[in-house]
Short mmCIF file of all heavy atoms in Angstrom, two decimals:
data_model
loop_
_atom_site.label_atom_id
_atom_site.label_comp_id
_atom_site.label_asym_id
_atom_site.label_seq_id
_atom_site.Cartn_x
_atom_site.Cartn_y
_atom_site.Cartn_z
N THR A 203 68.20 -25.14 39.30
CA THR A 203 67.97 -23.72 39.59
C THR A 203 66.50 -23.51 39.99
O THR A 203 65.64 -23.32 39.13
CB THR A 203 68.29 -22.84 38.37
OG1 THR A 203 69.50 -23.28 37.76
CG2 THR A 203 68.40 -21.38 38.78
N PRO A 204 66.20 -23.57 41.28
CA PRO A 204 64.80 -23.45 41.73
C PRO A 204 64.10 -22.19 41.23
O PRO A 204 62.93 -22.25 40.83
CB PRO A 204 64.93 -23.45 43.26
CG PRO A 204 66.19 -24.20 43.53
CD PRO A 204 67.11 -23.84 42.40
N ALA A 205 64.79 -21.06 41.23
CA ALA A 205 64.15 -19.79 40.83
C ALA A 205 63.68 -19.84 39.39
O ALA A 205 62.58 -19.37 39.06
CB ALA A 205 65.13 -18.63 41.03
N ILE A 206 64.51 -20.42 38.50
CA ILE A 206 64.12 -20.50 37.10
C ILE A 206 62.94 -21.45 36.92
O ILE A 206 62.01 -21.19 36.15
CB ILE A 206 65.32 -20.96 36.24
CG1 ILE A 206 66.42 -19.90 36.26
CG2 ILE A 206 64.88 -21.24 34.80
CD1 ILE A 206 67.67 -20.29 35.50
N ALA A 207 62.95 -22.56 37.64
CA ALA A 207 61.85 -23.52 37.56
C ALA A 207 60.54 -22.90 38.03
O ALA A 207 59.48 -23.09 37.40
CB ALA A 207 62.16 -24.76 38.40
N ILE A 208 60.61 -22.14 39.12
CA ILE A 208 59.41 -21.49 39.66
C ILE A 208 58.86 -20.48 38.65
O ILE A 208 57.65 -20.45 38.39
CB ILE A 208 59.74 -20.81 41.00
CG1 ILE A 208 59.92 -21.87 42.09
CG2 ILE A 208 58.63 -19.83 41.39
CD1 ILE A 208 60.44 -21.33 43.40
N ASN A 209 59.73 -19.68 38.06
CA ASN A 209 59.27 -18.69 37.08
C ASN A 209 58.73 -19.37 35.82
O ASN A 209 57.76 -18.90 35.21
CB ASN A 209 60.41 -17.74 36.71
CG ASN A 209 60.67 -16.69 37.78
OD1 ASN A 209 59.73 -16.23 38.43
ND2 ASN A 209 61.92 -16.34 37.99
N SER A 210 59.35 -20.46 35.42
CA SER A 210 58.91 -21.18 34.21
C SER A 210 57.51 -21.75 34.38
O SER A 210 56.65 -21.61 33.49
CB SER A 210 59.90 -22.30 33.88
OG SER A 210 61.17 -21.78 33.55
N ILE A 211 57.27 -22.40 35.52
CA ILE A 211 55.95 -23.00 35.72
C ILE A 211 54.90 -21.91 35.95
O ILE A 211 53.72 -22.08 35.60
CB ILE A 211 55.97 -24.02 36.88
CG1 ILE A 211 54.82 -25.03 36.72
CG2 ILE A 211 55.93 -23.34 38.24
CD1 ILE A 211 54.92 -26.22 37.64
N LYS A 212 55.34 -20.77 36.51
CA LYS A 212 54.41 -19.65 36.69
C LYS A 212 53.98 -19.10 35.33
O LYS A 212 52.79 -18.83 35.11
CB LYS A 212 55.09 -18.55 37.52
CG LYS A 212 54.22 -17.32 37.78
CD LYS A 212 54.85 -16.43 38.82
CE LYS A 212 56.05 -15.69 38.29
NZ LYS A 212 55.68 -14.55 37.40
N GLU A 213 54.92 -18.95 34.43
CA GLU A 213 54.59 -18.47 33.08
C GLU A 213 53.70 -19.46 32.33
O GLU A 213 52.78 -19.07 31.62
CB GLU A 213 55.87 -18.21 32.30
CG GLU A 213 56.68 -17.02 32.82
CD GLU A 213 58.03 -16.89 32.14
OE1 GLU A 213 58.29 -17.68 31.19
OE2 GLU A 213 58.82 -16.02 32.55
N ARG A 214 53.97 -20.74 32.53
CA ARG A 214 53.16 -21.75 31.85
C ARG A 214 51.73 -21.76 32.39
O ARG A 214 50.77 -21.92 31.62
CB ARG A 214 53.80 -23.13 32.03
CG ARG A 214 53.10 -24.23 31.20
CD ARG A 214 53.85 -25.51 31.24
NE ARG A 214 53.13 -26.59 30.58
CZ ARG A 214 53.49 -27.86 30.62
NH1 ARG A 214 54.59 -28.21 31.28
NH2 ARG A 214 52.78 -28.78 30.01
N LEU A 215 51.59 -21.61 33.71
CA LEU A 215 50.23 -21.55 34.27
C LEU A 215 49.47 -20.36 33.69
O LEU A 215 48.28 -20.47 33.38
CB LEU A 215 50.28 -21.45 35.79
CG LEU A 215 48.92 -21.32 36.47
CD1 LEU A 215 48.01 -22.50 36.15
CD2 LEU A 215 49.07 -21.17 37.98
N SER A 216 50.14 -19.23 33.55
CA SER A 216 49.50 -18.06 32.95
C SER A 216 49.00 -18.38 31.54
O SER A 216 47.88 -18.02 31.18
CB SER A 216 50.48 -16.89 32.92
OG SER A 216 49.87 -15.73 32.39
N GLU A 217 49.82 -19.09 30.76
CA GLU A 217 49.43 -19.48 29.41
C GLU A 217 48.24 -20.44 29.42
O GLU A 217 47.39 -20.39 28.54
CB GLU A 217 50.62 -20.14 28.70
CG GLU A 217 51.77 -19.18 28.43
CD GLU A 217 53.01 -19.91 27.91
OE1 GLU A 217 52.95 -21.17 27.78
OE2 GLU A 217 54.03 -19.25 27.64
N HIS A 218 48.17 -21.30 30.43
CA HIS A 218 47.08 -22.28 30.52
C HIS A 218 45.80 -21.66 31.07
O HIS A 218 44.70 -22.16 30.80
CB HIS A 218 47.50 -23.46 31.39
CG HIS A 218 48.39 -24.44 30.69
ND1 HIS A 218 48.20 -25.81 30.77
CD2 HIS A 218 49.44 -24.27 29.87
CE1 HIS A 218 49.12 -26.42 30.05
NE2 HIS A 218 49.90 -25.50 29.48
N LEU A 219 45.95 -20.60 31.86
CA LEU A 219 44.76 -19.96 32.45
C LEU A 219 44.02 -19.10 31.43
O LEU A 219 42.78 -19.05 31.43
CB LEU A 219 45.16 -19.10 33.64
CG LEU A 219 45.15 -19.75 35.02
CD1 LEU A 219 45.79 -18.85 36.06
CD2 LEU A 219 43.72 -20.12 35.44
N LYS A 220 44.75 -18.42 30.57
CA LYS A 220 44.14 -17.46 29.65
C LYS A 220 43.04 -18.07 28.77
O LYS A 220 42.00 -17.43 28.57
CB LYS A 220 45.21 -16.79 28.80
CG LYS A 220 46.02 -15.76 29.59
CD LYS A 220 47.00 -15.00 28.72
CE LYS A 220 47.75 -13.94 29.52
NZ LYS A 220 48.66 -13.14 28.69
N PRO A 221 43.20 -19.27 28.23
CA PRO A 221 42.11 -19.85 27.42
C PRO A 221 40.85 -20.20 28.21
O PRO A 221 39.81 -20.46 27.61
CB PRO A 221 42.75 -21.12 26.83
CG PRO A 221 44.21 -20.92 26.94
CD PRO A 221 44.41 -20.11 28.18
N THR A 222 40.94 -20.21 29.55
CA THR A 222 39.78 -20.59 30.36
C THR A 222 38.93 -19.41 30.80
O THR A 222 37.88 -19.60 31.41
CB THR A 222 40.24 -21.35 31.62
OG1 THR A 222 40.93 -20.45 32.50
CG2 THR A 222 41.15 -22.51 31.27
N ILE A 223 39.39 -18.17 30.50
CA ILE A 223 38.70 -16.99 31.02
C ILE A 223 38.43 -15.97 29.91
O ILE A 223 38.91 -16.10 28.79
CB ILE A 223 39.52 -16.31 32.14
CG1 ILE A 223 40.84 -15.76 31.56
CG2 ILE A 223 39.79 -17.27 33.28
CD1 ILE A 223 41.63 -14.90 32.54
N VAL A 224 37.67 -14.94 30.26
CA VAL A 224 37.53 -13.75 29.42
C VAL A 224 38.67 -12.82 29.81
O VAL A 224 38.67 -12.26 30.92
CB VAL A 224 36.16 -13.08 29.63
CG1 VAL A 224 36.07 -11.79 28.83
CG2 VAL A 224 35.04 -14.03 29.25
N ASP A 225 39.64 -12.68 28.94
CA ASP A 225 40.87 -11.97 29.27
C ASP A 225 40.99 -10.70 28.42
O ASP A 225 41.42 -10.75 27.27
CB ASP A 225 42.07 -12.89 29.03
CG ASP A 225 43.38 -12.26 29.47
OD1 ASP A 225 43.35 -11.46 30.42
OD2 ASP A 225 44.42 -12.58 28.86
N ILE A 226 40.61 -9.58 29.00
CA ILE A 226 40.68 -8.29 28.31
C ILE A 226 42.00 -7.62 28.69
O ILE A 226 42.13 -7.03 29.76
CB ILE A 226 39.49 -7.38 28.68
CG1 ILE A 226 38.16 -8.09 28.35
CG2 ILE A 226 39.58 -6.05 27.94
CD1 ILE A 226 36.94 -7.34 28.80
N GLU A 227 43.00 -7.72 27.82
CA GLU A 227 44.32 -7.19 28.14
C GLU A 227 44.40 -5.68 27.98
O GLU A 227 45.21 -5.03 28.65
CB GLU A 227 45.36 -7.86 27.24
CG GLU A 227 45.51 -9.37 27.51
CD GLU A 227 46.60 -9.99 26.67
OE1 GLU A 227 47.14 -9.29 25.77
OE2 GLU A 227 46.92 -11.17 26.88
N SER A 228 43.58 -5.12 27.12
CA SER A 228 43.62 -3.68 26.89
C SER A 228 43.23 -2.91 28.15
O SER A 228 42.16 -3.14 28.72
CB SER A 228 42.68 -3.29 25.74
OG SER A 228 42.63 -1.89 25.58
N GLU A 229 44.09 -2.00 28.56
CA GLU A 229 43.79 -1.17 29.72
C GLU A 229 43.16 0.15 29.31
O GLU A 229 42.22 0.63 29.95
CB GLU A 229 45.06 -0.92 30.53
CG GLU A 229 45.63 -2.20 31.15
CD GLU A 229 46.73 -1.91 32.15
OE1 GLU A 229 46.94 -0.72 32.48
OE2 GLU A 229 47.37 -2.88 32.61
N ASP A 230 43.64 0.73 28.23
CA ASP A 230 43.12 2.03 27.79
C ASP A 230 41.68 1.93 27.31
O ASP A 230 40.90 2.88 27.47
CB ASP A 230 43.99 2.59 26.66
CG ASP A 230 45.39 2.96 27.13
OD1 ASP A 230 45.55 3.22 28.34
OD2 ASP A 230 46.31 2.97 26.30
N ASN A 231 41.31 0.79 26.70
CA ASN A 231 39.97 0.65 26.12
C ASN A 231 39.20 -0.51 26.75
O ASN A 231 38.38 -1.15 26.09
CB ASN A 231 40.09 0.44 24.61
CG ASN A 231 40.75 1.63 23.92
OD1 ASN A 231 40.22 2.72 23.90
ND2 ASN A 231 41.94 1.40 23.37
#
Side-chain angles (χ1 to χ4, degrees):
T203 317
I206 294 177
I208 287 171
N209 283 326
S210 296
I211 203 168
K212 180 169 73 76
E213 291 173 5
R214 187 172 174 188
L215 177 59
S216 182
E217 293 172 0
H218 282 225
L219 269 170
K220 286 185 177 183
T222 69
I223 65 172
V224 176
D225 185 30
I226 303 175
E227 295 183 352
S228 175
E229 294 191 8
D230 293 336
N231 299 295

